[in-house]
Amino acid sequence: MTGGTMNERGNHRPRRSRRTLIRVLLAAGAAAVLLYTEGQWESRSGGLMLVADLLNRPELLLGGALAALIAAAWLSDRRTAVRAATRAVTVTAGVVFLLGVLAAHKVSAAETRSREEAPAGAQRSLVVVHRSYDSGPQTGEHWQVLLESGQGWSARRWLLADVGGGPDDARLVAAEWTGRTQITVVTDSYRRVFNLDQDSGEPVEGR
């Protein structure tokens, strides 16, 4: 009788450990998705620069979330039919994600960056990112004109212009400081002037 009780206890321990591991994996996957969501939000114009750079990483965070979900499904002790279906769905999602990552790497562009500090000596920088695509769904050249303001965790990044990479095939002509708190962006189709707020550093387009 005692031996039977001890065997039952021994059998329950691995089950409890497996269930605990499944909960940890599911929690880790959910946390990874939430962190990526925060990185996506801060990647908007005016978002926190360091948070965006650290967390807007779909390969690392979404890939980790999928790996945790697949592992949890594999360890699940549910009925055979449900377990098999869950495994099939998660593995398929993992394969689709992997193919998407490989496709993104295949069409990656040659990239150069230029940086010009504000003439006022403030902690503000005008950054121009130039990408050149040779193959894939996007071809030609693409420019992003960015303003980075502040330092540390409070630093923010604004998108001033997104040029090229589309059917119009526009080109950036110039992006420069034209005053102590003024930036002018010129393309082959428009000219835009931005004045920076003295306190926040936020760019406001002139009318």
Side-chain angles (χ1 to χ4, degrees):
M1 192 73 176
T2 304
T5 303
M6 292 181 63
N7 287 337
E8 289 177 1
R9 290 177 180 174
N11 291 334
H12 285 316
R13 287 174 184 171
R15 289 182 181 178
R16 284 198 296 268
S17 298
R18 182 168 59 184
R19 289 173 183 171
T20 300
L21 179 57
I22 290 172
R23 292 192 187 101
V24 170
L25 289 170
L26 292 175
V33 172
L34 290 175
L35 289 172
Y36 173 68
T37 302
E38 180 65 18
Q40 275 277 292
W41 171 248
E42 295 299 347
S43 295
R44 74 193 190 283
S45 182
L48 295 172
M49 184 169 62
L50 287 183
V51 176
D53 291 343
L54 287 173
L55 299 182
N56 189 11
R57 298 177 177 270
E59 296 175 17
L60 176 63
L61 293 175
L62 292 186
L66 267 175
L69 183 59
I70 291 172
W74 208 261
L75 292 170
S76 175
D77 57 357
R78 290 173 293 182
R79 291 179 302 174
T80 304
V82 176
R83 181 173 55 194
T86 304
R87 289 177 178 177
V89 170
T90 53
V91 170
T92 300
V95 171
V96 171
F97 179 79
L98 180 59
L99 291 176
V101 170
L102 293 175
H105 281 296
K106 187 176 181 180
V107 299
S108 61
E111 180 179 297
T112 58
R113 288 175 178 257
S114 63
R115 177 183 296 272
E116 184 181 357
E117 303 298 326
Q123 295 168 342
R124 296 166 183 167
S125 300
L126 175 63
V127 179
V128 178
V129 182
H130 175 231
R131 298 183 181 92
S132 179
Y133 297 87
D134 295 328
S135 61
Q138 186 174 7
T139 58
E141 294 181 283
H142 177 225
W143 292 265
Q144 283 185 315
V145 182
L146 308 166
L147 171 66
E148 296 178 356
S149 180
Q151 64 177 351
W153 290 103
S154 63
R156 293 185 178 275
R157 179 188 290 130
W158 281 272
L159 176 64
L160 304 182
D162 197 21
V163 185
D168 56 350
D169 199 26
R171 296 185 63 83
L172 178 69
V173 176
E176 57 190 358
W177 293 95
T178 50
R180 293 173 60 84
T181 57
Q182 186 181 85
I183 295 172
T184 300
V185 178
V186 181
T187 72
D188 55 6
S189 59
Y190 63 79
R191 179 178 182 272
R192 299 170 67 183
V193 178
F194 298 88
N195 297 303
L196 277 57
D197 183 89
Q198 293 288 345
D199 297 323
S200 66
E202 180 178 359
V204 179
E205 186 173 0
R207 298 298 179 185

